[in-house]
Amino acid sequence: MMPMEEKVDLESDEEIPFSASATRKKVQPFDSEINIASHVDMSKSWILKRIQMGPLRSIYIVLIKAKINMLLPFGPLAILLHYLTGKHGLVFLLSMLGITPLAERLGYVTEQLAFYTGPTVGGLLNATFGNATEMIISIYALKSGMIRVVQQSLLGSILSNMLLVLGCAFFSGGIANHQKVQVFNKAAALVNSGLLLMAVMGIMFPAVLHFTHTEVHFGKSEMALSRFSSCIMLIAYGSYLFFQLKSQPNLYSPVDEGGVNDPEDSDDEEVPEITQWETIGWLAVLTLWISILSGYLVDAIQGASDSLNMPVAFISVILLPIVGNAAEHASAIMFAMKDKLDITIGVAIGSSTQISMFVIPFCVVVGWCMGQPMDLNFQLFETATLFISVLVVAFMLQVHD
C-alpha cells in the first residue's frame, strides 16, 4: 500500500503544474473579457457589501425585519388623529399599539449592545431600557398631575412581571422541557427576592402610617416618610448595582449542569447584527419616539376612560403595563423554553426589582422636584396585593431545588 500511495502522489504532483500551464495557454485569449467580468463582479460585491454593512442594513434589521414592526405605523396615525379628531379612545388604543413595537425594539437594541459591553452590564442595560417605557409614561403622567395613574401603572408593572410573565415562562418552560428538571441560580434569585421584600417594606410604611391615623401632621408626615424611604431605596439600589457589577460578579453566572462545554452550544453562539455606534444611535431614536408617543397616550387616558366606559384603574393597572412588558413577556417565555431559567428570572424578577427599588422612588423624587404630591401610599388593597405577591414569589424561588 505504501509504494502505491507514493506513486499516486507523485503522479498527481506532476499533473498539477502541467494542467495549470495548459489552462493558462487556453484562457490567455480571453484575459481581457475575464478581467472586465471580474471587475464588474468585484464592484457589485462591493456595493452589496456596503449595503449589507451600512445604515440600510441597520434600518432593515431594526425597523423592518421583525413582524411586530407592522404595528409601527399606528404611532404616527395616533398623532394624526389627535389633531384631526377628538376621539380620545381611538388615539389611546393606537398610541398603545404604536408604543408596543417600540418597546420590543428597544429591548432588542439593548441586547445587541450587550454583545459589546459584556453580559453583566448588558443585563443591567436590558433591565434599565426595558423599563424606560414605564418611566417615560410615569414622568408625563406626573407632569399632568395624574398621581394615581403613576402609582397604579407601576404597581401593575411589578405584578405583571412577577405573576403573569414569570408564571407564563415557568408554564411554557415546563411543557417544552418536561423530560428534565429545570434549574437556576438560586443565590441570584434570593438576592432579587430580598430586594423586593425591602421595597415592599418601604412602600408599606407610608400606607400603614396613613391608615392607622398615627400621623403627627396629617398628610405631611406621610409625604416626608415617603421621600425619606425613596432616598434610602435609591441608595440601597445603587449599593446593589455595585455588588452586582464590582463586588460579586461571579454570583450571577449561569448554572452549569454538567460542567462540560457542549460543542453544539459553541456552534450556536450568537453574534451582533449591528455595530456598537448604531445601537447607541437607535437607543436615542427609539427612546425619543417613545417619549413623544407617551405624551399623546397620557393625554388620552381620561378621554379613553369616558368614551370606552373603562375605569382609569383598569387602564393603569392592566393596559399600560402590558404595553411596557410586551417585549419582556415574549423574551422570558422564549428563554424558559430554551431551558435558560437564569435569564428568565433575571428578566422577570430583575425588572420587578428595578421598578420597585428604582423607578418608584425615582418618580417620588421627580414629583418632589416638580411640586407634585407623589408618595408611596398605594392605598390599602394595592399594598396588600403587592406584599402577598412578593411573599408568594419569594417562597416559591426559595423552595426550588
Side-chain angles (χ1 to χ4, degrees):
M1 291 294 295
M2 293 297 294
M4 290 295 294
E5 289 179 355
E6 292 177 358
K7 185 176 181 181
V8 171
D9 291 335
L10 288 174
E11 289 177 358
S12 62
D13 290 336
E14 290 176 357
E15 289 177 357
I16 289 173
F18 175 76
S19 61
S21 61
T23 53
R24 230 182 254 120
K25 290 179 181 177
K26 292 179 181 179
V27 172
Q28 190 172 1
F30 305 98
D31 277 345
S32 58
E33 297 179 5
I34 292 177
N35 288 335
I36 295 173
S38 63
H39 181 72
V40 172
D41 292 338
M42 287 177 61
S43 62
K44 287 182 180 179
S45 63
W46 183 82
I47 294 173
L48 291 174
K49 187 177 180 182
R50 293 291 294 178
I51 293 176
Q52 291 175 356
M53 299 303 294
L56 291 179
R57 180 176 181 271
S58 175
I59 293 173
Y60 169 76
I61 290 175
V62 177
L63 297 182
I64 301 175
K65 185 177 179 181
K67 295 180 180 179
I68 197 172
N69 289 329
M70 296 173 62
L71 300 177
L72 284 176
F74 288 111
L77 185 60
I79 297 176
L80 188 63
L81 290 178
H82 174 79
Y83 291 104
L84 295 180
T85 65
K87 297 181 180 179
H88 295 286
L90 190 58
V91 172
F92 176 79
L93 293 176
L94 292 179
S95 299
M96 277 206 320
L97 291 175
I99 290 178
T100 302
L102 294 175
E104 192 275 335
R105 291 288 85 188
L106 194 64
Y108 167 77
V109 172
T110 310
E111 290 175 1
Q112 293 296 307
L113 186 60
F115 286 107
Y116 304 100
T117 58
T120 305
V121 179
L124 175 63
L125 289 173
N126 199 356
T128 302
F129 282 96
N131 295 322
T133 306
E134 292 96 330
M135 191 180 300
I136 294 171
I137 293 175
S138 300
I139 291 175
Y140 273 99
L142 272 177
K143 190 182 295 184
S144 302
M146 305 170 72
I147 307 298
R148 287 296 292 163
V149 171
V150 175
Q151 292 177 337
Q152 291 172 344
S153 64
L154 294 178
L155 176 70
S157 295
I158 298 174
L159 296 178
S160 174
N161 279 303
M162 282 196 305
L163 302 179
L164 180 63
V165 175
L166 193 63
C168 290
F170 281 167
F171 183 76
S172 304
I175 292 177
N177 302 278
H178 62 276
Q179 302 93 348
K180 58 182 178 180
V181 177
Q182 292 184 290
V183 295
F184 58 85
N185 190 335
K186 192 174 181 180
L190 290 179
V191 170
N192 282 320
S193 301
L195 282 173
L196 278 174
L197 288 172
M198 179 181 175
V200 170
M201 287 175 55
I203 294 173
M204 280 184 63
F205 286 147
V208 171
L209 183 64
H210 177 79
F211 288 101
T212 54
H213 304 287
T214 54
E215 294 184 76
V216 177
H217 303 285
F218 186 77
K220 295 182 180 179
S221 301
E222 173 190 339
M223 185 65 64
L225 181 59
S226 297
R227 291 168 178 172
F228 176 77
S229 299
S230 298
C231 295
I232 297 299
M233 290 162 68
L234 288 175
I235 294 173
Y237 186 72
S239 303
Y240 163 69
L241 292 183
F242 176 80
F243 172 80
Q244 184 181 12
L245 298 177
K246 296 292 184 182
S247 178
Q248 298 289 333
N250 295 327
L251 179 66
Y252 297 88
S253 58
V255 174
D256 189 5
E257 297 179 9
V260 180
N261 293 329
D262 192 357
E264 294 181 359
D265 293 339
S266 61
D267 293 337
D268 296 336
E269 204 174 308
E270 296 181 357
V271 294
E273 294 182 334
I274 53 179
T275 64
Q276 183 175 3
W277 288 107
E278 287 173 347
T279 58
I280 295 173
W282 280 115
L283 282 177
V285 171
L286 292 174
T287 305
L288 178 63
W289 186 229
I290 288 174
S291 65
I292 293 173
L293 279 182
S294 298
Y296 294 95
L297 179 70
V298 171
D299 291 338
I301 287 178
Q302 189 60 51
S305 175
D306 298 334
S307 62
L308 299 176
N309 294 323
M310 192 179 296
V312 177
F314 179 82
I315 293 176
S316 303
V317 178
I318 304 299
L319 296 184
L320 292 182
I322 288 178
V323 174
N325 296 328
E328 296 170 357
H329 199 163
S331 61
I333 292 177
M334 178 188 66
F335 287 126
M337 295 180 69
K338 292 182 179 179
D339 197 18
K340 297 180 179 180
L341 281 188
D342 286 310
I343 304 178
T344 297
I345 293 175
V347 169
I349 305 298
S351 180
S352 299
T353 302
Q354 190 171 59
I355 291 174
S356 58
M357 290 291 294
F358 175 70
V359 179
I360 291 178
F362 178 76
C363 288
V364 173
V365 174
V366 170
W368 189 5
C369 297
M370 290 181 178
Q372 298 288 348
M374 172 70 184
D375 57 12
L376 296 178
N377 181 13
F378 281 36
Q379 303 302 319
L380 188 60
F381 177 75
E382 289 90 336
T383 305
T385 303
L386 178 62
F387 178 69
I388 294 172
S389 301
V390 171
L391 279 183
V392 169
V393 173
F395 280 119
M396 183 188 65
L397 295 178
Q398 193 171 7
V399 300
H400 188 279
D401 291 328

